Amino acid sequence: MRAQSSATAPTPVAVDVHRERPGLGTVQAALGVIAFSLTFPATAWGLESFGPWSLVSVRSVLAAVIAGSCLLALRVPLPDRRHWAGLAVVAAGVVFGFPLLTTLALETSTTSHAAVVVGLLPLTTALCSALRMGTRPSRTFWAAALAGAAAVLAFTVQQSGGTLTAADGYLFAALLVCAAGYTEGGRLARVMPGWQVIGWALVLCLPLSAGAAALALSYEPVRLTAHGVAGLLWVAVGSQFLGLVVWYRGMAAIGIPKASQLQLAQPLLTLVWSVLLLGEHLTAAAPLTAAAVLVCIAVTQRSRS
């Protein structure tokens, strides 16, 4: 009788704890945005000591060592084979693609200019999510998202004097690969902890990033400075690992479209850091753009996805 009852008992259904706490998910996603907003100033600092290829590959190696150590210490089993393709997309988008393309852009572009161009990332991520996962945000959501993107684009054109630079090509390509990585990472964070998503993506890239670091360091000169080391450590630990951990958890909790719209605040935060850390100057349009973007964020967070 006992055997029969245990055999016929329903299988427990796994509950996604992140989705039960949307408020916490919003906080986590916001923390990720704050971490990401420091990426461009930290990259500018890192370029004082390293070449672009060295900086990107070394940051990936450092982040992979940290992530791999955590996975080993906690004895986390390997992901299912069906998840490796998604992890490869995350690796290509957020481990290598976005860091490399934006670093190349920052060789000739200011952090403020790059920040406002990448302000289009929320809309790009929402579009990618709709195509990949079949999400159908409301018309109000799309109207607010497009308005926010338009405000950021107008600010970008105004900042660059009405013309686009060669660095913008790198930045627009970075938008595409990063949106794909965010979307796939947000999907995977529904079935495994967010820190394991980025952790396994970093470990997956470790052989390639280690080889690239060795090659790049042999060709590009290294001139260590306090700013350069601090920038490298932040983009490796803060941006490449810890920021993505809370970001993916947040996306899993509140959904990719809504989380992506929190990033509308990222370029404006980066502008603040560029003034405080790099001494760059802003135009009078910045506070107006900030107000418009914050209104758009409020609308997207209240709309149904």
Side-chain angles (χ1 to χ4, degrees):
M1 180 68 71
R2 289 182 180 176
Q4 182 179 0
S5 62
S6 63
T8 58
T11 302
V13 178
V15 179
D16 191 340
V17 294
H18 301 314
R19 285 197 169 279
E20 294 178 352
R21 296 180 290 176
L24 178 59
T26 300
V27 171
Q28 290 172 329
L31 288 174
V33 170
I34 294 172
F36 299 153
S37 70
L38 280 160
T39 300
F40 285 174
T43 299
W45 274 8
L47 287 172
E48 293 181 11
S49 295
F50 302 91
W53 295 90
S54 298
L55 181 61
V56 171
S57 55
V58 171
R59 72 180 271 186
S60 179
V61 170
L62 292 178
V65 169
I66 296 172
S69 299
C70 293
L71 292 169
L72 283 175
L74 297 175
R75 298 181 180 180
V76 177
L78 289 171
D80 292 340
R81 184 177 298 179
R82 59 194 173 95
H83 297 321
W84 282 106
L87 290 171
V89 174
V90 175
V94 303
V95 175
F96 264 126
F98 184 80
L100 177 60
L101 291 167
T102 53
T103 299
L104 291 173
L106 285 172
E107 284 198 294
T108 57
S109 173
T110 63
T111 58
S112 57
H113 179 79
V116 290
V117 174
V118 176
L120 296 174
L121 182 58
L123 179 60
T124 310
T125 303
L127 287 170
C128 188
S129 173
L131 293 174
R132 175 67 176 89
M133 303 179 64
T135 55
R136 294 293 182 268
S138 65
R139 292 182 179 178
T140 301
F141 176 94
W142 283 118
L146 288 170
V152 170
L153 184 59
F155 185 72
T156 303
V157 174
Q158 189 271 337
Q159 283 264 299
S160 59
T163 60
L164 298 179
T165 65
D168 292 326
Y170 289 127
L171 294 172
F172 286 128
L175 290 176
L176 297 177
V177 297
C178 190
Y182 279 173
T183 298
E184 205 63 24
R187 183 186 67 82
L188 289 173
R190 295 180 176 182
V191 296
M192 68 176 72
W195 76 272
Q196 292 183 22
V197 174
I198 185 58
W200 285 118
L202 286 164
V203 171
L204 182 65
C205 281
L206 183 55
L208 178 61
S209 57
L215 183 62
L217 289 171
S218 66
Y219 281 95
E220 294 179 335
V222 175
R223 296 178 294 273
L224 294 182
T225 64
H227 278 177
V229 173
L232 170 63
L233 291 177
W234 178 259
V235 293
V237 180
S239 303
Q240 192 82 75
F241 185 59
L242 296 179
L244 285 168
V245 168
V246 293
W247 175 243
Y248 282 140
R249 286 178 64 89
M251 283 199 295
I254 65 177
I256 296 173
K258 283 191 175 182
S260 69
Q261 296 313 296
L262 289 174
Q263 277 200 303
L264 283 170
Q266 182 175 324
L268 301 161
L269 290 172
T270 300
L271 292 178
V272 173
W273 299 129
S274 69
V275 171
L276 296 178
L277 301 177
L278 303 176
E280 294 185 4
H281 300 284
L282 303 181
T283 65
L288 296 178
T289 307
V293 168
L294 290 176
V295 169
C296 293
I297 291 175
V299 173
T300 58
Q301 296 306 299
R302 289 180 179 273
S303 66
R304 292 183 177 181
S305 54

